[in-house]
PDB file of all heavy atoms in Angstrom:
ATOM      1  N   GLU A1506      73.619-143.116  -3.016  1.00 97.00           N
ATOM      2  CA  GLU A1506      73.204-144.518  -2.866  1.00 97.00           C
ATOM      3  C   GLU A1506      74.164-145.455  -3.595  1.00 97.00           C
ATOM      4  O   GLU A1506      74.592-146.480  -3.044  1.00 97.00           O
ATOM      5  CB  GLU A1506      71.779-144.684  -3.407  1.00 97.00           C
ATOM      6  CG  GLU A1506      71.207-146.077  -3.199  1.00 97.00           C
ATOM      7  CD  GLU A1506      69.784-146.186  -3.720  1.00 97.00           C
ATOM      8  OE1 GLU A1506      69.122-145.144  -3.882  1.00 97.00           O
ATOM      9  OE2 GLU A1506      69.349-147.326  -3.978  1.00 97.00           O
ATOM     10  N   ARG A1507      74.527-145.095  -4.822  1.00 97.00           N
ATOM     11  CA  ARG A1507      75.463-145.925  -5.584  1.00 97.00           C
ATOM     12  C   ARG A1507      76.837-145.954  -4.917  1.00 97.00           C
ATOM     13  O   ARG A1507      77.492-146.993  -4.849  1.00 97.00           O
ATOM     14  CB  ARG A1507      75.607-145.391  -7.021  1.00 97.00           C
ATOM     15  CG  ARG A1507      74.370-145.515  -7.886  1.00 97.00           C
ATOM     16  CD  ARG A1507      74.183-146.905  -8.483  1.00 97.00           C
ATOM     17  NE  ARG A1507      75.300-147.325  -9.288  1.00 97.00           N
ATOM     18  CZ  ARG A1507      75.422-147.079 -10.585  1.00 97.00           C
ATOM     19  NH1 ARG A1507      74.495-146.402 -11.214  1.00 97.00           N
ATOM     20  NH2 ARG A1507      76.481-147.520 -11.242  1.00 97.00           N
ATOM     21  N   TYR A1508      77.288-144.788  -4.445  1.00 97.00           N
ATOM     22  CA  TYR A1508      78.597-144.682  -3.814  1.00 97.00           C
ATOM     23  C   TYR A1508      78.645-145.510  -2.523  1.00 97.00           C
ATOM     24  O   TYR A1508      79.613-146.224  -2.260  1.00 97.00           O
ATOM     25  CB  TYR A1508      78.905-143.210  -3.522  1.00 97.00           C
ATOM     26  CG  TYR A1508      80.240-142.959  -2.872  1.00 97.00           C
ATOM     27  CD1 TYR A1508      81.423-143.317  -3.502  1.00 97.00           C
ATOM     28  CD2 TYR A1508      80.320-142.336  -1.623  1.00 97.00           C
ATOM     29  CE1 TYR A1508      82.650-143.075  -2.921  1.00 97.00           C
ATOM     30  CE2 TYR A1508      81.545-142.094  -1.033  1.00 97.00           C
ATOM     31  CZ  TYR A1508      82.704-142.458  -1.677  1.00 97.00           C
ATOM     32  OH  TYR A1508      83.917-142.217  -1.100  1.00 97.00           O
ATOM     33  N   THR A1509      77.569-145.428  -1.735  1.00 95.00           N
ATOM     34  CA  THR A1509      77.495-146.206  -0.493  1.00 95.00           C
ATOM     35  C   THR A1509      77.508-147.698  -0.794  1.00 95.00           C
ATOM     36  O   THR A1509      78.201-148.477  -0.115  1.00 95.00           O
ATOM     37  CB  THR A1509      76.222-145.828   0.291  1.00 95.00           C
ATOM     38  OG1 THR A1509      76.258-144.424   0.579  1.00 95.00           O
ATOM     39  CG2 THR A1509      76.132-146.594   1.600  1.00 95.00           C
ATOM     40  N   ALA A1510      76.757-148.102  -1.811  1.00 97.00           N
ATOM     41  CA  ALA A1510      76.738-149.518  -2.189  1.00 97.00           C
ATOM     42  C   ALA A1510      78.120-149.972  -2.664  1.00 97.00           C
ATOM     43  O   ALA A1510      78.573-151.077  -2.329  1.00 97.00           O
ATOM     44  CB  ALA A1510      75.693-149.750  -3.284  1.00 97.00           C
ATOM     45  N   PHE A1511      78.806-149.120  -3.429  1.00 96.00           N
ATOM     46  CA  PHE A1511      80.149-149.443  -3.901  1.00 96.00           C
ATOM     47  C   PHE A1511      81.102-149.635  -2.725  1.00 96.00           C
ATOM     48  O   PHE A1511      81.892-150.588  -2.697  1.00 96.00           O
ATOM     49  CB  PHE A1511      80.656-148.323  -4.813  1.00 96.00           C
ATOM     50  CG  PHE A1511      82.106-148.446  -5.184  1.00 96.00           C
ATOM     51  CD1 PHE A1511      82.514-149.341  -6.164  1.00 96.00           C
ATOM     52  CD2 PHE A1511      83.067-147.694  -4.531  1.00 96.00           C
ATOM     53  CE1 PHE A1511      83.858-149.470  -6.487  1.00 96.00           C
ATOM     54  CE2 PHE A1511      84.407-147.808  -4.848  1.00 96.00           C
ATOM     55  CZ  PHE A1511      84.805-148.705  -5.836  1.00 96.00           C
ATOM     56  N   LYS A1512      81.042-148.735  -1.735  1.00 95.00           N
ATOM     57  CA  LYS A1512      81.914-148.863  -0.571  1.00 95.00           C
ATOM     58  C   LYS A1512      81.621-150.149   0.208  1.00 95.00           C
ATOM     59  O   LYS A1512      82.541-150.834   0.652  1.00 95.00           O
ATOM     60  CB  LYS A1512      81.745-147.651   0.362  1.00 95.00           C
ATOM     61  CG  LYS A1512      82.375-146.379  -0.153  1.00 95.00           C
ATOM     62  CD  LYS A1512      82.431-145.293   0.912  1.00 95.00           C
ATOM     63  CE  LYS A1512      81.069-144.932   1.432  1.00 95.00           C
ATOM     64  NZ  LYS A1512      81.123-143.841   2.422  1.00 95.00           N
ATOM     65  N   GLN A1513      80.332-150.455   0.345  1.00 94.00           N
ATOM     66  CA  GLN A1513      79.969-151.681   1.062  1.00 94.00           C
ATOM     67  C   GLN A1513      80.466-152.917   0.319  1.00 94.00           C
ATOM     68  O   GLN A1513      80.994-153.852   0.938  1.00 94.00           O
ATOM     69  CB  GLN A1513      78.454-151.746   1.268  1.00 94.00           C
ATOM     70  CG  GLN A1513      77.947-150.739   2.285  1.00 94.00           C
ATOM     71  CD  GLN A1513      76.435-150.731   2.385  1.00 94.00           C
ATOM     72  OE1 GLN A1513      75.734-151.264   1.525  1.00 94.00           O
ATOM     73  NE2 GLN A1513      75.922-150.099   3.433  1.00 94.00           N
ATOM     74  N   ASP A1514      80.305-152.935  -1.001  1.00 96.00           N
ATOM     75  CA  ASP A1514      80.761-154.082  -1.792  1.00 96.00           C
ATOM     76  C   ASP A1514      82.276-154.250  -1.707  1.00 96.00           C
ATOM     77  O   ASP A1514      82.791-155.363  -1.718  1.00 96.00           O
ATOM     78  CB  ASP A1514      80.345-153.920  -3.266  1.00 96.00           C
ATOM     79  CG  ASP A1514      78.841-154.042  -3.461  1.00 96.00           C
ATOM     80  OD1 ASP A1514      78.159-154.524  -2.531  1.00 96.00           O
ATOM     81  OD2 ASP A1514      78.351-153.636  -4.526  1.00 96.00           O
ATOM     82  N   ALA A1515      82.981-153.118  -1.630  1.00 95.00           N
ATOM     83  CA  ALA A1515      84.448-153.160  -1.591  1.00 95.00           C
ATOM     84  C   ALA A1515      84.995-153.212  -0.168  1.00 95.00           C
ATOM     85  O   ALA A1515      86.201-153.263   0.031  1.00 95.00           O
ATOM     86  CB  ALA A1515      85.016-151.934  -2.310  1.00 95.00           C
ATOM     87  N   SER A1516      84.072-153.194   0.819  1.00 94.00           N
ATOM     88  CA  SER A1516      84.486-153.139   2.237  1.00 94.00           C
ATOM     89  C   SER A1516      85.489-151.998   2.451  1.00 94.00           C
ATOM     90  O   SER A1516      86.554-152.190   3.047  1.00 94.00           O
ATOM     91  CB  SER A1516      85.087-154.473   2.684  1.00 94.00           C
ATOM     92  OG  SER A1516      84.127-155.502   2.592  1.00 94.00           O
ATOM     93  N   ALA A1517      85.151-150.836   1.923  1.00 95.00           N
ATOM     94  CA  ALA A1517      86.073-149.695   1.954  1.00 95.00           C
ATOM     95  C   ALA A1517      85.483-148.544   2.751  1.00 95.00           C
ATOM     96  O   ALA A1517      84.262-148.420   2.896  1.00 95.00           O
ATOM     97  CB  ALA A1517      86.367-149.225   0.530  1.00 95.00           C
ATOM     98  N   TYR A1518      86.374-147.726   3.281  1.00 94.00           N
ATOM     99  CA  TYR A1518      85.992-146.496   3.972  1.00 94.00           C
ATOM    100  C   TYR A1518      86.594-145.309   3.233  1.00 94.00           C
ATOM    101  O   TYR A1518      87.709-145.390   2.726  1.00 94.00           O
ATOM    102  CB  TYR A1518      86.528-146.479   5.413  1.00 94.00           C
ATOM    103  CG  TYR A1518      85.855-147.449   6.349  1.00 94.00           C
ATOM    104  CD1 TYR A1518      86.615-148.301   7.155  1.00 94.00           C
ATOM    105  CD2 TYR A1518      84.478-147.495   6.459  1.00 94.00           C
ATOM    106  CE1 TYR A1518      86.010-149.178   8.029  1.00 94.00           C
ATOM    107  CE2 TYR A1518      83.862-148.378   7.336  1.00 94.00           C
ATOM    108  CZ  TYR A1518      84.630-149.217   8.119  1.00 94.00           C
ATOM    109  OH  TYR A1518      84.020-150.079   8.979  1.00 94.00           O
ATOM    110  N   ASP A1519      85.858-144.206   3.212  1.00 94.00           N
ATOM    111  CA  ASP A1519      86.451-142.969   2.714  1.00 94.00           C
ATOM    112  C   ASP A1519      86.848-142.106   3.910  1.00 94.00           C
ATOM    113  O   ASP A1519      86.701-142.520   5.067  1.00 94.00           O
ATOM    114  CB  ASP A1519      85.511-142.230   1.760  1.00 94.00           C
ATOM    115  CG  ASP A1519      84.207-141.793   2.417  1.00 94.00           C
ATOM    116  OD1 ASP A1519      84.133-141.778   3.667  1.00 94.00           O
ATOM    117  OD2 ASP A1519      83.266-141.450   1.689  1.00 94.00           O
ATOM    118  N   TYR A1520      87.366-140.919   3.640  1.00 90.00           N
ATOM    119  CA  TYR A1520      87.888-140.064   4.709  1.00 90.00           C
ATOM    120  C   TYR A1520      86.805-139.712   5.727  1.00 90.00           C
ATOM    121  O   TYR A1520      87.032-139.737   6.946  1.00 90.00           O
ATOM    122  CB  TYR A1520      88.495-138.803   4.091  1.00 90.00           C
ATOM    123  CG  TYR A1520      89.276-137.951   5.049  1.00 90.00           C
ATOM    124  CD1 TYR A1520      90.385-138.450   5.726  1.00 90.00           C
ATOM    125  CD2 TYR A1520      88.906-136.628   5.281  1.00 90.00           C
ATOM    126  CE1 TYR A1520      91.112-137.654   6.609  1.00 90.00           C
ATOM    127  CE2 TYR A1520      89.635-135.822   6.153  1.00 90.00           C
ATOM    128  CZ  TYR A1520      90.737-136.358   6.808  1.00 90.00           C
ATOM    129  OH  TYR A1520      91.442-135.569   7.682  1.00 90.00           O
ATOM    130  N   ALA A1521      85.597-139.378   5.232  1.00 90.00           N
ATOM    131  CA  ALA A1521      84.491-139.038   6.129  1.00 90.00           C
ATOM    132  C   ALA A1521      84.119-140.223   7.005  1.00 90.00           C
ATOM    133  O   ALA A1521      83.798-140.064   8.195  1.00 90.00           O
ATOM    134  CB  ALA A1521      83.283-138.566   5.321  1.00 90.00           C
ATOM    135  N   ASP A1522      84.158-141.434   6.438  1.00 93.00           N
ATOM    136  CA  ASP A1522      83.869-142.639   7.231  1.00 93.00           C
ATOM    137  C   ASP A1522      84.889-142.809   8.350  1.00 93.00           C
ATOM    138  O   ASP A1522      84.537-143.181   9.476  1.00 93.00           O
ATOM    139  CB  ASP A1522      83.887-143.889   6.340  1.00 93.00           C
ATOM    140  CG  ASP A1522      82.765-143.890   5.316  1.00 93.00           C
ATOM    141  OD1 ASP A1522      81.701-143.315   5.602  1.00 93.00           O
ATOM    142  OD2 ASP A1522      82.971-144.462   4.224  1.00 93.00           O
TER     143      ASP A1522
END
Side-chain angles (χ1 to χ4, degrees):
E1506 185 179 340
R1507 293 279 302 271
Y1508 180 61
T1509 301
F1511 171 78
K1512 286 192 301 182
Q1513 289 175 345
D1514 291 345
S1516 298
Y1518 290 131
D1519 62 16
Y1520 190 60
D1522 294 330

